[in-house]
């Protein structure tokens, strides 16, 4: 009887552990990539291009990011994807030198 109780208890605790770990793992995946702005001011561009429209300005210390870790390049400039309501498609782009991943 003790062995059966131990097996049932171990199974129950194992399931609880899986359920407890599930939301935390899901929460991390939801956050995608987050960045901290380093420059005093940094533009959020409509497209990953230095000639694109700046739809928003972020400031040093601001936290930005997106649900995916996309990047893009245009000539010598690199860009990271950020989510913003100011862009027509909800996707803005910031110069990768202006931010650091956290």
């Amino acid at each position: 009887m003790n062995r059966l109780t131990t097996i049932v208890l171990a199974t129950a605790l194992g399931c609880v552990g899986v359920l407890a770990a599930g939301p935390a793992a899901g929460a991390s995946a939801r956050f995608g990539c987050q960045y901290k702005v380093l420059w005093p001011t940094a533009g959020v561009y409509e497209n990953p291009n230095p000639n694109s429209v700046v739809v928003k300005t972020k400031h040093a210390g601001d936290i930005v990011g997106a649900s995916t870790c996309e990047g893009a390049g245009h000539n010598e400039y690199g860009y990271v994807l950020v989510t913003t309501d100011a862009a027509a498609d909800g996707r803005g782009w910031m110069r990768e030198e202006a931010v650091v991943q956290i």
Side-chain angles (χ1 to χ4, degrees):
M1 182 67 169
N2 279 344
R3 183 173 178 192
L4 181 58
T5 303
T6 303
I7 291 171
V8 170
L9 213 71
T11 303
L13 290 176
C15 289
V16 169
V18 168
L19 292 175
S28 314
R30 250 193 330 259
F31 290 128
C33 282
Q34 291 193 351
Y35 308 93
K36 183 175 182 180
V37 177
L38 299 175
W39 290 358
T41 59
V44 178
Y45 296 87
E46 181 76 36
N47 297 301
N49 178 327
N51 299 319
S52 180
V53 174
V54 175
V55 295
K56 190 177 231 178
T57 301
K58 295 307 234 170
H59 303 282
D62 287 349
I63 304 299
V64 296
S67 59
T68 63
C69 300
E70 289 184 48
H74 183 272
N75 294 335
E76 72 273 13
Y77 301 110
Y79 294 86
V80 296
L81 177 68
V82 296
T83 302
T84 179
D85 292 337
D89 60 359
R91 297 165 47 101
W93 298 89
M94 294 185 73
R95 292 272 307 274
E96 66 185 0
E97 295 86 14
V99 296
V100 63
Q101 190 170 2
I102 53 174

